[in-house]
Amino acid sequence: MKTLLFKQVDNSALIVFRIIFGLLITLEAWGAIATGWVKRVFVEPQFTFNFIGFDFLQVFVGPFMYGYYLLMGGLGLMVCLGYKYRWSMGGYTLLWTLSYLMQKSSYNNHYYLLILICIFMLLAPAHTYASIDAKRNPSLRSNAMPNWVNVFIILQLFIVYTYAALAKIYPDWLQAKVPEILMAGKSHYYIVGDILQQKWTHYVIAYFGILFDLLVVPLLLYKPTRKYIFFFSVFFHLFNSIVFQIGIFPYLSLAFSLFFFPAEKVHRWFLKKKDFYQEKVVQVPNYASAFQLFIVVWFIFQIGLPLRHWFIPGDVLYTEEGHRMSWRMMLRTKSGHATYTVVDTQTGEKTIVNKANYLSSKQMRQATTKPDIIWQFAQRIAREYAQKGKNVQVFVRCGIRVNKGPYTPLINPEVDLAAADWNYFKHNNWILLPQNL
């Protein structure tokens, strides 16, 4: 294992990836401001639905987030240039992770993947060539890197894509119902709008989506198919970028391809002036044993976490329990309705909550379909009344439908959510489990 992880190989792929990655994370941060995403998600709402247990992050929410994302983009640019790399990469990793934990209304699996890649880049020696750091400190300059860099990226991507493929193997996807629903809102697209409404298009999207996710990593590793799957990847990711508008992820995915091509080719294509490293040396550092343990624990976690919903009663498409951080991407659509009723425990007076007084339009959609957000909103309402000196109960009558199916009750209307607990790794009994899903 030490030989596999610590043998030295040419670092051209990592150096080029750092430059591209730095540009992409800069665009992710500054683009979030330019497109109004920061305004919609962090500035306009009264509060955000943070990951449960991270309520203290609410102190950041508001106009301050413009500066927060400006700083994050500046750190991304420093990563691209290789300037004070460990500090800039560490700073971006911290700020992005906090931003991720700060809100769930715009949750995206790709945001979680970016955290993982940021951690990887923080550990990797990506600043040892074509960087300001290496220019200022020539002793840092190197043409080699440990092979664990390649191993890490390939294993991580294999896990992500494989889980994404397996998650699609369920009736509504296999019958192309989900792609049909997703494409319904794309009919106005220039040239391709009508094509996206065709039934055959929906089946192509459904089955090519599964096959691509399942096979892309093995076919990139296999030399005879590498070139062909790469060109198909370009089409696949550009299609996702144009149709679904999912930020930097398609371009980040294409950048990952650098680690699958032979180092000689990457060197010849991008860094001809760099000396190519071709010695066969194994450099085992003093921390090798600790690092091996880290790698093992990391991938046990990466393999195990997406499986947790199988150990929780109910359909994850419906209950959402175990959905996040499990690579369950674009698998379903949900809509619903919810009524929040506040009952004063002393007077018995009942009040229907006007959600529009508290939530943005996007948050209101989340507060009718996501059980954890419904629970958080009920808790927040109770705390607000408590600040006024009132002890209240909060009951929610909620129905949802998945993939335009029948409406089904989601929350037990007889349970006081203000007094209920939230469990991350087991079923919350106040979430109803219908038999028809």
Side-chain angles (χ1 to χ4, degrees):
M1 186 174 180
K2 287 181 179 178
T3 300
L4 173 67
L5 296 179
F6 299 111
K7 68 178 180 180
Q8 298 296 295
V9 295
D10 185 80
N11 65 357
S12 296
L14 179 61
I15 301 304
V16 176
F17 182 79
R18 186 208 78 226
I19 296 170
I20 297 173
F21 181 73
L23 285 174
L24 289 176
I25 61 177
T26 299
L27 292 173
E28 181 70 31
W30 288 349
I33 299 174
T35 60
W37 187 86
V38 170
K39 181 181 180 181
R40 292 191 301 272
V41 174
F42 290 115
V43 179
E44 291 180 338
Q46 299 178 36
F47 58 90
T48 65
F49 289 106
N50 50 259
F51 275 69
I52 295 172
F54 291 89
D55 300 66
F56 61 90
L57 295 176
Q58 291 297 310
V59 298
F60 291 107
V61 175
F64 168 79
M65 292 303 293
Y66 289 125
Y68 186 102
Y69 269 74
L70 279 172
L71 173 60
M72 198 153 54
L75 291 171
L77 196 57
M78 289 169 65
V79 169
C80 175
L81 298 174
Y83 178 62
K84 295 189 181 299
Y85 178 76
R86 297 297 184 193
W87 287 102
S88 56
M89 192 66 253
Y92 196 101
T93 302
L94 176 62
L95 293 181
W96 181 260
T97 302
L98 293 178
S99 175
Y100 172 84
L101 296 172
M102 227 180 281
Q103 64 84 28
K104 293 182 292 189
S105 298
S106 294
Y107 175 82
N108 193 317
N109 273 283
H110 306 151
Y111 298 162
Y112 170 52
L113 177 62
L114 187 53
I115 292 176
L116 303 182
I117 300 304
C118 280
I119 294 172
F120 158 75
M121 289 299 287
L122 181 59
L123 298 175
H127 60 314
T128 58
Y129 190 86
S131 70
I132 294 176
D133 287 352
K135 185 174 183 179
R136 296 176 65 187
N137 180 11
S139 65
L140 185 66
R141 187 179 174 117
S142 174
N143 297 325
M145 67 180 184
N147 191 51
W148 67 258
V149 171
N150 292 319
V151 173
F152 190 106
I153 281 290
I154 292 170
L155 282 179
Q156 185 65 65
L157 292 178
F158 181 73
I159 290 169
V160 171
Y161 279 113
T162 300
Y163 275 125
L166 296 177
K168 292 180 176 70
I169 303 176
Y170 82 100
D172 281 357
W173 186 274
L174 296 176
Q175 294 165 15
K177 184 176 181 179
V178 177
E180 180 179 359
I181 296 171
L182 293 175
M183 294 302 110
K186 317 294 182 184
S187 59
H188 63 286
Y189 280 21
Y190 183 65
I191 298 178
V192 299
D194 289 338
I195 297 175
L196 295 177
Q197 308 312 308
Q198 303 300 313
K199 194 63 181 178
W200 65 266
T201 304
H202 305 151
Y203 274 99
V204 169
I205 292 171
Y207 284 89
F208 269 91
I210 293 174
L211 290 173
F212 180 84
D213 287 346
L214 197 60
L215 298 176
V216 61
V217 171
L219 293 182
L220 279 172
L221 287 171
Y222 186 49
K223 183 179 178 180
T225 57
R226 183 179 296 131
K227 178 172 63 175
Y228 303 104
I229 192 63
F230 172 73
F231 286 121
F232 185 80
S233 296
V234 173
F235 168 79
F236 180 85
H237 289 302
L238 288 180
F239 175 86
N240 283 340
S241 178
I242 295 169
V243 174
F244 295 110
Q245 299 174 14
I246 49 178
I248 67 170
F249 177 72
Y251 307 99
L252 182 61
S253 297
L254 289 174
F256 288 139
S257 301
L258 289 163
F259 295 99
F260 291 86
F261 282 92
E264 296 90 338
K265 288 189 175 181
V266 177
H267 172 264
R268 187 169 66 250
W269 292 336
F270 299 102
L271 296 172
K272 286 183 179 180
K273 294 183 179 180
K274 184 177 83 71
D275 293 333
F276 182 74
Y277 182 87
Q278 46 191 337
E279 298 179 34
K280 296 181 179 180
V281 177
V282 178
Q283 294 182 1
V284 181
N286 295 330
Y287 55 84
S289 297
F291 189 80
Q292 286 180 94
L293 179 61
F294 166 78
I295 290 289
V296 170
V297 172
W298 176 280
F299 284 108
I300 288 176
F301 182 81
Q302 290 300 314
I303 293 169
L305 188 65
L307 297 175
R308 68 192 188 281
H309 71 88
W310 291 106
F311 300 92
I312 302 174
D315 190 334
V316 64
L317 289 169
Y318 176 84
T319 68
E320 299 280 327
E321 294 176 304
H323 170 78
R324 294 188 181 91
M325 299 180 285
S326 297
W327 315 120
R328 304 181 57 78
M329 297 177 272
M330 291 189 291
L331 287 176
R332 80 285 184 266
T333 62
K334 297 179 77 172
S335 57
H337 54 78
T339 301
Y340 291 74
T341 303
V342 175
V343 179
D344 191 310
T345 57
Q346 292 182 329
T347 66
E349 180 184 1
K350 295 183 179 180
T351 305
I352 303 297
V353 175
N354 185 351
K355 296 190 291 293
N357 291 338
Y358 297 86
L359 308 174
S360 67
S361 57
K362 187 161 192 172
Q363 286 177 323
M364 280 196 281
R365 291 193 296 271
Q366 302 289 314
T368 59
T369 59
K370 311 279 195 223
D372 59 333
I373 289 180
I374 291 171
W375 178 84
Q376 284 179 287
F377 187 39
Q379 295 276 311
R380 186 176 185 89
I381 293 169
R383 287 196 300 270
E384 185 175 287
Y385 273 88
Q387 290 171 359
K388 299 175 183 178
K390 295 184 178 181
N391 185 34
V392 300
Q393 297 173 309
V394 182
F395 299 94
V396 179
R397 188 173 295 275
C398 174
I400 69 164
R401 60 177 182 165
V402 176
N403 298 334
K404 295 190 175 182
Y407 277 100
T408 311
L410 176 64
I411 306 297
N412 186 337
E414 298 180 358
V415 173
D416 172 20
L417 292 190
D421 294 323
W422 175 261
N423 296 300
Y424 261 115
F425 293 100
K426 64 179 182 179
H427 176 59
N428 293 275
N429 293 325
W430 45 267
I431 302 175
L432 301 176
L433 300 178
Q435 298 301 312
N436 62 331
L437 285 179

